[in-house]
Amino acid sequence: MSPQPDTGTDFLSALFETQRMLRQLADKEARHLGMTRAQWAVLAKVERNEGQKQTDLADAMEMAPISLTRLIDKLCDSDLIERRNDDTDRRIKRLYLTEAARPLMAKLSVLRADLMQVAFAGVSEAEMHQLVDHLETIKDNIRVALNPATIKTKEQAYG
C-alpha cells in the first residue's frame, strides 16, 4: 500500500517551485531589457508609491538597506530613479521615477502581462479569481499567526 499524499507538503512544494520558476523566467525576460529582476522590482515598487522613503522601500521589499542602496544607485546612474530631499527632514531621501523611466515601465508592464499569460495558460478567469481568493485567505491566516493582534472579522476588514 502506497503512503497517502501529504496535501500540505504538496502545496508548499508546488508553491515554492512555481515561485522559483517564475523568478527564473522573469530574470530571463528582464535581461532582454538590460536589467535584473531585482531592478525591475524596485522600479515597480517606486512606481506604485512614488515619494516613499528609501528605508520604507527596504522594509517593503524585505531587503537590507545597503543592498537596496546599491540597486538604487545603479538605477539613479541609469537615470531611471531620482532621490529627492524630504521637505521636512533633509536626512530623508524620497524616491521618484524619472521621465526617462516611463517608456521602460510601459515595456515592463507588457512583459509582466506576457509572463502572466504564460503562467496562467489553460486557467480560466474564474479559476484565477478563485486561486487568488484562496491565496489571500492563506496569507491572512499566516498574518494572524505572525501577529495575533491583527485578527479582524470580514466586516472590519472590508466594511
Side-chain angles (χ1 to χ4, degrees):
M1 180 178 239
S2 64
Q4 291 286 47
D6 179 352
T7 307
T9 299
D10 291 347
F11 169 77
L12 289 176
S13 293
L15 184 64
F16 293 147
E17 186 67 8
T18 300
Q19 179 188 28
R20 184 186 67 76
M21 293 173 70
L22 188 56
R23 284 192 319 259
Q24 285 179 329
L25 184 57
D27 282 332
K28 178 183 169 190
E29 296 303 320
R31 278 192 297 274
H32 292 299
L33 295 176
M35 65 182 350
T36 66
R37 178 178 39 88
Q39 290 170 329
W40 180 3
V42 169
L43 288 170
K45 290 274 190 189
V46 170
E47 182 181 42
R48 281 193 292 274
N49 192 13
E50 287 197 74
Q52 69 186 307
K53 295 187 293 186
Q54 191 167 318
T55 54
D56 292 344
L57 180 60
D59 289 343
M61 296 189 72
E62 297 180 350
M63 290 181 74
I66 189 68
S67 299
L68 179 62
T69 297
R70 288 185 196 118
L71 274 171
I72 292 172
D73 286 346
K74 286 182 181 184
L75 292 167
C76 286
D77 291 345
S78 298
D79 193 36
L80 297 172
I81 287 182
E82 63 181 344
R83 291 179 176 106
R84 296 183 195 163
N85 292 328
D86 183 84
D87 292 337
T88 60
D89 186 341
R90 61 184 200 181
R91 295 170 297 176
I92 296 173
K93 300 295 184 192
R94 298 201 174 266
L95 302 172
Y96 295 87
L97 292 181
T98 64
E99 284 307 309
R102 304 293 174 189
L104 176 61
M105 296 312 295
K107 289 178 185 175
L108 289 170
S109 179
V110 170
L111 180 58
R112 184 189 55 77
D114 291 347
L115 290 173
M116 291 301 92
Q117 188 173 8
V118 167
F120 287 112
V123 179
S124 73
E125 188 79 20
E127 290 169 324
M128 285 175 52
H129 286 291
Q130 189 175 29
L131 175 61
V132 170
D133 287 345
H134 290 312
L135 288 171
E136 288 294 334
T137 298
I138 292 166
K139 186 172 72 174
D140 289 344
N141 293 342
I142 295 168
R143 182 179 294 117
V144 168
L146 288 170
N147 185 4
T150 63
I151 295 174
K152 295 179 182 177
T153 65
K154 285 196 182 246
E155 290 170 2
Q156 288 173 320
Y158 302 109

